[in-house]
Amino acid sequence: MRAETQNIVADIEKSLELLAQRLNWETAEYRLEEFNARVEDPNLWDDPEAAQKLMRERQALVDSIDTYKGIKQDLSDNIELIELGEMEDDAEVIKDAESALAALKEKAAEKELEALLDGEADANDTFLEINAGAGGTESCDWASMLARMYVRWAEKKGYKVELQSESAGDEAGIKSAAYKISGHNAYGWLKSESGVHRLVRISPYDSAAKRHTSFSSVWVYPVVDDNIEIEVNPSDIRVDTYRSSGAGGQHVNTTDSAVRITHIPTGIVVTSSEKSQHQNRDIAMKALKSRLYQQELDRRNAAINEAHEAKGDAGWGNQIRSYVLQPYQMVKDLRTQHETSDTKGVLDGDLDGFMAATLALNVSGKSRADAQAED
């Protein structure tokens, strides 16, 4: 077997090791048997929501087991084919098996990455908030560019995107926007995006065509299951109604029914601007509970907590990623040092490389400071 092929086999075996570790392979079959026994309970569907959750968990385990077994079997089959081809001096068989191994390596790497999304809320839908920071009109425009970037990313993933609220900038762009993004592992993927994002470019709003630096902040937190009990004392919240405003268009409502809820002990503020005030209050309360739940997750998960603390104010010194369009083209994540010159692709939603690098960094247990110190 050629050295290059041996390296590919070694990479696939490493991916299998991680998959087995994340799956807790030694107990996987037993856990599936337990799920199957619970599914056969005639009283299962007395509680439809609990039953659906159980079925989703079972299916996720089945998919993980099938994926692990499939990759392992494909690896074994192609190694045997190469050995057979070498014995019979059949170059065509060897070539086909090597091509299959190369494709299997990509598949294994993709599944390895997905296996990193095993946090308590990683599989959940997510809320995404974007707020313009230092830089005035420039930052409002940058915030709208970020919103477009994440919507494009979510659409490529096949996720459902719902605009919860939006506040237009005075001259251009948006001051803020909040989205709900629904799909498997939406929170797990997007959680690494929390932080300050910095843009450097020639300003389209400057007649002198000078270079400007703009900042906007992104905050991501999971949509919590209704079964998760988050107690909110009515005396701890203030509910305000107001007229929604936005840049117009199909995504923005302008009604008097918008609701803003302020959680006084934490200072958390959530808004919703659908047509129904009752619906807005319900949406806003769910968002508030999600924010409070996120705080609890932060206390449990030091890596996520560090990311949120590092976000800081949307200004100099707090950015997690820089997007430089002038005088050269470069997007660079300051936590992982992952970078690309394909700025157009990134702004069109090509973010998986950055997310993958951050996921891998979090799993390694390194902090942002550790990663930067090694650069």
Side-chain angles (χ1 to χ4, degrees):
M1 188 182 296
R2 297 189 303 127
E4 181 181 352
T5 304
Q6 290 177 346
N7 289 336
I8 291 176
V9 169
D11 287 339
I12 296 172
E13 289 174 341
K14 288 179 182 178
S15 294
L16 282 169
E17 288 177 9
L18 184 139
L19 287 171
Q21 177 186 345
R22 294 285 166 180
L23 181 57
N24 196 0
W25 179 248
E26 293 181 357
T27 65
E29 299 284 359
Y30 297 108
R31 283 182 282 129
L32 182 56
E33 290 178 4
E34 292 178 0
F35 273 122
N36 290 338
R38 293 170 66 185
V39 167
E40 293 174 1
D41 185 347
N43 299 319
L44 173 65
W45 290 95
D46 290 348
D47 185 344
E49 289 187 5
Q52 290 173 2
K53 182 179 180 182
L54 174 66
M55 296 300 288
R56 287 195 299 269
E57 291 175 350
R58 178 190 175 280
Q59 190 59 49
L61 179 59
V62 169
D63 291 344
S64 296
I65 291 174
D66 289 347
T67 294
Y68 178 80
K69 286 183 175 180
I71 294 174
K72 192 171 184 179
Q73 186 63 53
D74 287 346
L75 175 61
S76 177
D77 290 346
N78 284 291
I79 289 176
E80 288 182 8
L81 281 174
I82 290 175
E83 292 173 346
L84 181 63
E86 290 175 341
M87 289 175 58
E88 298 183 355
D89 197 22
D90 191 331
E92 191 67 27
V93 169
I94 295 173
K95 181 180 178 181
D96 289 345
E98 288 179 340
S99 296
L101 282 176
L104 186 62
K105 175 187 173 182
E106 297 299 320
K107 177 182 177 181
E110 179 183 346
K111 296 302 179 182
E112 176 185 344
L113 181 57
E114 291 179 3
L116 300 179
L117 301 173
D118 64 351
E120 183 174 353
D122 281 352
N124 291 26
D125 300 339
T126 191
F127 289 113
L128 170 73
E129 290 185 3
I130 300 169
N131 294 280
T137 299
E138 286 289 334
S139 287
C140 288
D141 190 47
W142 173 221
S144 69
M145 292 170 65
L146 283 173
R148 175 184 176 276
M149 179 180 77
Y150 287 117
V151 168
R152 287 286 185 93
W153 173 85
E155 290 173 346
K156 289 178 181 179
K157 286 285 187 182
Y159 291 159
K160 179 182 179 182
V161 181
E162 301 171 79
L163 183 67
Q164 302 289 303
S165 64
E166 183 179 272
S167 176
D170 294 333
E171 297 180 30
I174 57 173
K175 292 180 180 177
S176 64
Y179 295 88
K180 179 183 178 184
I181 299 177
S182 304
H184 184 60
N185 285 334
Y187 173 69
W189 282 112
L190 278 167
K191 66 183 181 184
S192 63
E193 295 299 296
S194 286
V196 176
H197 296 247
R198 170 179 173 253
L199 173 70
V200 180
R201 66 172 176 174
I202 300 296
S203 171
Y205 305 101
D206 186 341
S207 58
K210 293 183 178 179
R211 192 170 57 182
H212 284 245
T213 299
S214 311
F215 300 91
S216 289
S217 65
V218 174
W219 196 351
V220 178
Y221 49 98
V223 176
V224 298
D225 192 298
D226 289 338
N227 293 325
I228 297 175
E229 296 183 3
I230 304 292
E231 294 186 6
V232 178
N233 190 329
S235 63
D236 286 343
I237 63 174
R238 184 177 70 248
V239 181
D240 301 305
T241 59
Y242 64 100
R243 182 176 181 82
S244 175
S245 64
Q250 61 178 335
H251 293 305
V252 182
N253 299 299
T254 55
T255 71
D256 292 314
S257 64
V259 170
R260 178 189 295 113
I261 296 180
T262 304
H263 188 247
I264 298 170
T266 62
I268 292 174
V269 178
V270 292
T271 61
S272 180
S273 51
E274 296 295 329
K275 294 181 179 179
S276 162
Q277 190 173 120
H278 176 75
Q279 182 184 20
N280 283 332
R281 183 182 175 94
D282 182 56
I283 292 172
M285 281 301 298
K286 286 183 178 179
L288 174 60
K289 289 182 178 181
S290 294
R291 292 281 292 272
L292 294 173
Y293 180 59
Q294 175 67 47
Q295 287 190 343
E296 177 59 27
L297 285 179
D298 287 346
R299 282 190 284 269
R300 299 179 194 176
N301 191 323
I304 296 177
N305 189 39
E306 179 185 352
H308 281 278
E309 288 180 350
K311 179 163 68 70
D313 295 329
W316 286 102
N318 294 314
Q319 64 267 20
I320 62 167
R321 189 177 301 150
S322 289
Y323 306 70
V324 180
L325 306 184
Q326 289 288 344
Y328 53 89
Q329 302 276 314
M330 180 66 69
V331 180
K332 182 173 183 178
D333 195 290
L334 304 181
R335 300 162 298 180
T336 64
Q337 308 307 311
H338 182 79
E339 62 183 43
T340 178
S341 59
D342 183 16
T343 56
K344 183 180 185 301
V346 171
L347 293 174
D348 279 338
D350 186 8
L351 295 168
D352 285 354
F354 289 95
M355 294 177 179
T358 307
L359 281 171
L361 180 68
N362 288 341
V363 168
S364 74
K366 294 179 182 177
S367 67
R368 174 180 173 180
D370 292 336
Q372 292 176 325
E374 292 180 2
D375 182 50

